[in-house]
Amino acid sequence: MTGDQQSLAINGGVPVRDRLLPYGRQTIVEEDITAVVEALRSDWITTGPRVEEFEGALAEAVGASHAVCFSSGTAALHAAVFAAGIGTGDEAITTPLTFCATANCLLYQGATPVFGDVLEDTLTLDPKDAADRITSRTKAIVPVDYAGHPAELDAFMELAERHRLVIIEDAAQALGATYRKRRVGAVSHMTTFSFHPVKHITTGEGGAVTTNDSGLAERLRLFRNHGITTGARERQNAGEWRYQMVALGYNYRLSDIGCALGLSQLPRLEANIACRQAIAARYAAELADVPCLRLPTVETDVESAWHLYPVRIVPPIDRDDVCRALRAEGLGVNVHYSLVYDHPYYQERFGGVGARWNAEAAGRQLMSLPIFGGMSTSDIDDVVTAVRKVLTYFALQKSL
Ligand SMILES: *Cc1c(COP(=O)(O)O)cnc(C)c1O
C-alpha cells in the first residue's frame, strides 16, 4: 500500500471504494418481475388470490398455523396490538433499541410503552429487567429480534403465562431465524414481520403477523379491512353485497401485486440467509483483531437471520468519527439505533427516560456494517479493508 492509500479518505486520501456500498438492499431477479407482471395482467390487483397464497406459503415457511398480511411491518404491529385487546390506559414493555415503529404501535391504540433495558451481549430485551417493570396495567411484552437475533422468547412466554400477558414479537429483522430449534414466527402469541426492501424478502412495502391462535388471526383480518367482517372477494364469491363494520379498523391491505413479488421471493429466503451467514462468518474471522472494535454475539442455541451486522466502537474512540470516516471510504455504515425514548417526540411526551444502561452504552457505540443477499466477495473485502484502515488509524492516534 502506498502512503496515499493508507491516509484516510476523510483527510484527503484515496477512498477504498468509489461507489457507496449500502448497508442493505433488495435482490430482484427476472422471475420476480415476471410474477409481478402476471399479477398486473390478472383480474385482481388488490386483494385477490395471491394474498391467501402468500399467507399460506409464509405460515408454512415459519411453521405457524396462520399468517395475515399487511401493507407494512408497522401496520402489522398496529394490528397485533389491536388483536391483543390493548387500549387506553394499558402498558406494554418493550426495548428502546429498535426502530420507533415498535413503540409507536402502542401509542396508536392509546397504550403506553414502558422501556426496559437490553442484555449486554445480544442487545435484545432483558427478561429480568422486563419482569421488574410489570404492573397491574401491563398487557403485553413486545420484544424485538434485534439485528435478526431472536430475543429470549422462552423467558417471555413464561412471564406471559405467569402474568397473563400477550407476547408480540417484533421479528421484522428475523424472518428465517431459529430459536432453540423452533422457527421464529411459531413461538410467540403473535410475531410480526416486515417486507420492506432492506429486509430478507420484499413486497415493496408490506408486512405480516403469524400466530397459532385462530381467534387472533380473525381479529387481525378484521383490523386490516376497516373492521369489516368480510372481504370484497368473499362477498363477490358468495353473491352478497351487504357488509358490517364491527370494530374500528384501517385499510392496511397488501395488494396482489405485492404478494406476487413476495411469493416469488420467499423460496429464496434460505439462500439469502445462507449468504448473510457467510458474510457474518467472514467478518467474524477477519475483523477479530481490529483494535477498538467489538463484534456481535450470537447465542449457541439460536440462528440469527443477520438482518444487520452491528459492531460496537469501543471508547474512547468516537463512533460518530468512525462513521464519518467510513462513509468517506465508501461504506454506507449506519446506526441502528438512536434509542426510541431519545427521539424529540418521546422526549416531549414522556420526558427523559434514561438509565437503561446497556441500551445507552450500545446506543452510543453501535454501527452497522453492510450485509445483504447480493453482496459480492469484493464488496466484503472492501468492508474488511476500510474498517481495518479506519480503526487502526484512530487507535494509533489515541496510542491504543
Ligand atoms: C423494519 C422494521 C419495522 C417497520 O417495518 P415497515 O415495514 O418499514 O413498516 C418495525 N420494527 C423493526 C424492528 C424493523 O426493523
Side-chain angles (χ1 to χ4, degrees):
M1 239 187 228
T2 68
D4 211 24
Q5 277 168 324
Q6 275 174 329
S7 75
L8 299 192
I10 201 166
N11 297 334
V14 179
V16 172
R17 295 174 61 92
D18 310 324
R19 265 188 49 202
L20 193 79
L21 179 67
Y23 84 89
R25 61 159 294 154
Q26 72 272 24
T27 309
I28 300 287
V29 301
E30 258 337 288
E31 291 102 87
D32 296 337
I33 294 165
T34 308
V36 170
V37 170
E38 241 170 61
L40 284 170
R41 291 191 206 282
S42 76
D43 286 345
W44 295 94
I45 57 173
T46 167
T47 310
R50 285 173 187 83
V51 176
E52 272 168 51
E53 212 185 314
F54 182 48
E55 288 177 341
L58 199 63
E60 198 184 311
V62 305
S65 316
H66 310 274
V68 183
C69 288
F70 289 88
S71 51
S72 69
T74 304
L77 277 163
H78 186 185
V81 171
F82 165 83
I86 298 168
T88 308
D90 294 336
E91 292 177 358
I93 298 160
T94 190
T95 166
L97 192 69
T98 183
F99 183 56
C100 52
T102 311
N104 291 351
C105 69
L106 296 160
L107 298 180
Y108 295 162
Q109 288 302 100
T112 305
V114 173
F115 295 102
D117 203 355
V118 297
L119 295 167
E120 208 275 332
D121 49 4
T122 61
L123 303 178
T124 59
L125 186 63
D126 179 347
K128 287 204 188 75
D129 180 271
D132 290 342
R133 300 184 194 277
I134 294 173
T135 71
S136 57
R137 289 182 299 279
T138 310
K139 289 284 157 62
I141 301 178
V142 188
V144 173
D145 300 329
Y146 177 75
H149 188 296
E152 300 285 325
L153 302 178
D154 282 345
F156 291 122
M157 288 302 277
E158 256 170 58
L159 279 178
E161 190 138 326
R162 199 165 337 131
H163 300 275
R164 314 197 74 227
L165 308 174
V166 180
I167 304 301
I168 301 171
E169 178 188 353
D170 182 348
Q173 311 187 345
L175 180 62
T178 61
Y179 174 79
R180 299 185 176 165
K181 304 226 164 13
R182 285 166 285 164
R183 280 169 280 176
V184 160
V187 182
S188 303
H189 297 119
M190 286 183 274
T191 308
T192 70
F193 295 100
S194 163
F195 309 126
H196 181 278
V198 295
K199 306 289 162 65
H200 298 78
I201 67 164
T202 189
T203 58
E205 295 280 4
V209 183
T210 59
T211 181
N212 288 323
D213 183 318
S214 55
L216 289 173
E218 200 173 305
R219 282 175 66 76
L220 291 165
R221 292 211 162 84
L222 190 74
F223 194 70
R224 153 177 92 179
N225 190 33
H226 308 277
I228 293 171
T229 49
T230 52
R233 189 159 155 267
E234 271 175 83
R235 285 197 298 277
Q236 178 171 315
N237 290 344
E240 178 60 70
W241 60 88
R242 283 175 292 248
Y243 60 84
Q244 286 189 310
M245 182 196 134
V246 298
L248 185 61
Y250 291 75
N251 176 355
Y252 276 164
R253 297 185 302 259
L254 183 58
S255 72
D256 253 41
I257 304 169
C259 288
L261 182 53
L263 271 166
S264 176
Q265 293 245 314
L266 192 56
R268 294 201 309 277
L269 173 64
E270 271 184 48
N272 185 303
I273 292 193
C275 181
R276 288 168 186 265
Q277 279 169 342
I279 298 166
R282 271 206 62 197
Y283 286 162
E286 297 191 34
L287 298 174
D289 63 337
V290 171
C292 304
L293 186 72
R294 180 170 167 192
L295 301 178
T297 311
V298 184
E299 290 288 341
T300 50
D301 52 2
V302 311
E303 276 178 82
S304 176
W306 289 114
H307 165 61
L308 302 171
Y309 192 84
V311 298
R312 276 176 268 185
I313 307 302
V314 180
I317 308 285
D318 183 70
R319 186 267 319 271
D320 293 349
D321 288 345
V322 173
C323 279
R324 268 191 292 275
L326 283 171
R327 284 256 165 177
E329 299 296 340
L331 294 199
V333 291
N334 232 296
V335 171
H336 299 97
Y337 291 91
S338 296
L339 304 186
V340 174
Y341 58 65
D342 284 336
H343 284 292
Y345 179 85
Y346 278 86
Q347 288 272 355
E348 274 164 39
R349 190 158 164 183
F350 299 102
V353 176
R356 275 57 171 171
W357 303 115
N358 291 335
E360 300 259 326
R364 283 192 300 272
Q365 299 171 7
L366 280 167
M367 178 181 82
S368 303
L369 298 183
I371 188 164
F372 54 90
M375 250 176 106
S376 70
T377 309
S378 79
D379 290 338
I380 302 167
D381 291 341
D382 288 346
V383 174
V384 170
T385 305
V387 169
R388 184 176 292 281
K389 174 182 170 182
V390 165
L391 278 160
T392 305
Y393 171 89
F394 280 112
L396 209 64
Q397 220 193 14
K398 292 235 179 332
S399 325
L400 294 169

